[in-house]
Every structure is written in structure tokens, then in C-alpha cells.
Amino acid sequence: MSDDGGSREPLRLNDGHHLPAIGLGTFGLTGEAGIAAIVSALGLGYRLLDTAVGYGNEWEVGEAVRRSEVPGEDVVVATKIRARDHGYDATRRSIAESRRTLGVDRIGLHLIHWPNPRLDRYVETWQALVAARDEGEVRSIGVSNFTAAHLETLVGETGVVPAVNQVELHPHLPQAAQRAVHERLGIRTQSWSPLGRGRVLLERPEVTRPAERLSASPAQVVLRWHHQLGADPVPKSADPGRQRENLAPVGRLTEAEMDAITGLGRRGGRLWGGDPETTHL
Ligand SMILES: NC(=O)c1ccc[n+]([C@@H]2O[C@H](COP(=O)([O-])OP(=O)(O)OC[C@H]3O[C@@H](n4cnc5c(N)ncnc54)[C@H](OP(=O)(O)O)[C@@H]3O)[C@@H](O)[C@H]2O)c1
């Protein structure tokens, strides 16, 4: 890592483009309340919005960008290809539909949401994303929930390394082996459900003790842990106060504090059993 994990400067991807080191998760942010929450986040400084066809809120995300005072070109919107659109032609159609729904000429970051190995079409899906990138419909391309084996297949068959792999990553699932694979291949790790959905995790003493020492909140400590691991979190909050809190940089965690938080990792640490080999989404 080039800094101590405290910087929120955009990070350089393997395709030469930059990506904000933290984004707003938007799952569940729908309707007028969802738009208001996303406009709030943009006003507070978020410049990466994480959506997906499967979240049913691409229109709200696009509308929030239009309503906010932040120029659209300063915002990276990330969206994702769902299972039913795997395959070359269906993916090209899905990209066109997402551009229409979001109201943008070019999508900032487009990911394959899940590998769906049972469908066995993620290589074709990837080839469609590569073509869309080469034709200027999409800026950066990546994947989500891909294991080391899925990445190896993609790179072996196409020679194109994803810029990003967005995986479930939080203290109960620190993903050390997966992060090492990303580092070796030059893939940026993004963390989904980075706060472990915010409940029990934020009350653990391994988190609350450093929070007290740093005069920070438990969520800020967990987000700092992600940054110090070299992973970019996309925490979701509908609340302006918590959105601001999640964006604010805090002091450095010691090695012992990092190890104690990572030590919360456990077998079966997935929040809802989202296994990349079997999840059909
Ligand atoms: N690629 C994938 O397969 C995948 C899968 C799941 C999620 N994701 C992405 O990851 C994003 C985040 O994941 P997530 O929404 O599951 O979980 P999360 O970000 O870990 O946690 C969100 C929960 O934590 C609360 N929260 C947020 N900030 C807080 C704070 N400072 N203090 C206390 N509580 C706080 C939120 O409530 P309030 O809203 O009330 O603040 C919400 O209930 C999603 O929105 C989505 O964009 C991707």
C-alpha cells in the first residue's frame, strides 16, 4: 500500500483509471426516500455509488446524480450484470438498458454480479463487458464474488484481468487468501457489507476499544480496518449523520488492533451464506 490507509484519495486501477477508495452502498435505497439519501451522500462527498440491476434502483441512482449539485462526470456509478443476463448478447443488452435507466452515456464501473458457475457463461459475459469497454460504453470493468478459480478461468480464457473484484468482506470474513490473489493479479478489492450490516459486530470489544482510544465510532474503526487491509468498502447508510461518519477519516489502528479485529473471522462468517459457487443472482 502506498499510504497508511488513512487517505481517501482515489486509487489507480490496472486499466489506468481511478476509483474512489470508499463508495455508498445503495441496496435498499429506493423511491423518493432512496433518492434523498443518495443526494445527501453526494453532498457530503461520496463520489462512488454502488448499485446493480438486481437492486431495482438504477433509476433512483441516476436521478439522485441529476438532482445533486455535483457534476455527473465527477461521480462513478458502479452497476452489475445479473444471472439472467449472462451470455454475450444478453449482457450487451443489459449494458444498454442500464445506460438508459441510469441516464448516462458511459457507465463508470460495470461488474459481473455473481459468477453463476452453474450457468457456465461468465466467460462470454466477460467478453461482452470487454467489448463494451473497448467501444466506450463502459469505463472500467470488473467482477464480484469471483473466487480464485473463477478469476483464473477468466484471465486464462480472455487475457483481460478485472480491475475490481467486489467480495463479501468484513471482520467475520476477512478473506485473507482472496485478497492475496487480488494483490498478485493487480485487482482492487472492494468490500461488500463492510460493516457486517452494522449490528452485533459494532458492539464487539475488539472494535469498541480502539474506537474509544481514537475517539471514533465503531463503524469508523471497521472502515479504517478495511482501508488498512487495502480494501475499498461500500458501506450503505440512508442516514446523513452516519453517511458523514463513514466518510470521515480517523487515526491509524495498531498492528495488535488490526490483528484483534481480523481475529473475529470465523468459519461460516458469511452473513447470509452467499456462496459464489451456488448463489444464483
Ligand atoms: N456484490 C454483491 O454481491 C453485494 C452483496 C451485498 C451488498 N452489496 C453492496 O454492499 C453495500 C453495503 O452492504 P450492506 O448494505 O449489506 O451492509 P453494510 O454496509 O455493512 O451495513 C449497512 C447497515 O449498517 C447500518 N449503518 C451504516 N453506517 C452505520 C454506522 N456508521 N453506524 C451504525 N450503523 C450503520 C445501516 O443502517 P442505516 O442505513 O440506518 O444507517 C445498515 O443497516 C450494499 O448496499 C450493496 O451496494 C453487494
Side-chain angles (χ1 to χ4, degrees):
M1 260 191 314
S2 56
D3 66 66
D4 74 350
S7 158
R8 299 294 169 86
E9 287 302 304
L11 298 151
R12 193 169 186 279
L13 300 173
N14 63 17
D15 61 9
H17 292 295
H18 286 77
L19 195 68
I22 186 165
L24 181 78
T26 71
F27 180 72
L29 298 179
T30 54
E32 277 300 322
I35 295 171
I38 300 166
V39 169
S40 151
L42 290 168
L44 290 167
Y46 287 83
R47 292 295 178 266
L48 168 63
L49 304 174
D50 183 71
T51 181
V53 172
Y55 301 170
N57 68 352
E58 283 183 319
W59 184 82
E60 282 92 331
V61 169
E63 180 65 10
V65 175
R66 286 186 290 277
R67 285 194 204 171
S68 99
E69 286 172 9
V70 178
E73 63 267 25
D74 292 354
V75 181
V76 179
V77 174
T79 192
K80 313 187 188 83
I81 305 287
R82 63 187 163 172
R84 81 171 75 141
D85 295 324
H86 275 222
Y88 190 90
D89 292 338
T91 294
R92 295 301 301 259
R93 281 194 296 272
S94 176
I95 295 165
E97 185 66 28
S98 287
R99 288 165 67 210
R100 258 196 306 277
T101 311
L102 287 163
V104 297
D105 284 339
R106 191 161 75 142
I107 288 168
L109 175 66
H110 220 123
L111 310 178
I112 305 178
H113 205 151
W114 289 85
N116 288 282
R118 203 166 49 80
L119 298 177
D120 196 20
R121 288 205 291 266
Y122 63 78
V123 172
E124 280 175 61
T125 305
W126 184 239
Q127 285 163 336
L129 280 174
V130 172
R133 181 197 63 184
D134 292 348
E135 291 169 27
E137 295 176 3
V138 173
R139 196 196 69 170
S140 295
I141 54 176
V143 294
S144 178
N145 300 300
F146 273 49
T147 65
H150 302 138
L151 291 171
E152 201 178 305
T153 304
L154 265 202
V155 177
E157 301 246 344
T158 67
V160 183
V161 181
V164 168
N165 189 11
Q166 184 186 100
V167 295
E168 179 173 357
L169 205 172
H170 43 72
H172 292 314
L173 192 69
Q175 297 267 28
Q178 186 74 40
R179 285 186 284 107
V181 169
H182 296 171
E183 194 149 330
R184 181 167 55 77
L185 293 173
I187 298 172
R188 230 21 246 179
T189 302
Q190 268 189 347
S191 314
W192 65 254
S193 293
L195 301 173
R197 296 214 161 140
R199 290 165 308 185
V200 197
L201 172 64
L202 302 181
E203 289 167 13
R204 294 287 312 213
E206 292 83 351
V207 173
T208 57
R209 269 196 300 263
E212 273 171 43
R213 181 182 71 78
L214 293 165
S215 302
S217 75
Q220 287 175 323
V221 165
V222 172
L223 294 171
R224 175 76 201 202
W225 173 84
H226 285 273
H227 288 295
Q228 282 186 219
L229 288 181
D232 312 330
V234 291
K236 173 262 172 187
S237 180
D239 173 75
R242 287 189 287 280
Q243 290 174 348
R244 178 182 284 113
E245 179 183 322
N246 294 347
L247 205 56
V250 297
R252 184 172 178 77
L253 297 168
T254 65
E255 286 301 311
E257 288 167 340
M258 285 294 291
D259 290 346
I261 298 172
T262 307
L264 293 169
R266 53 180 194 226
R267 258 180 205 289
R270 295 188 186 283
L271 289 171
W272 48 269
D275 181 346
E277 295 296 345
T278 53
T279 299
H280 183 74
L281 281 172

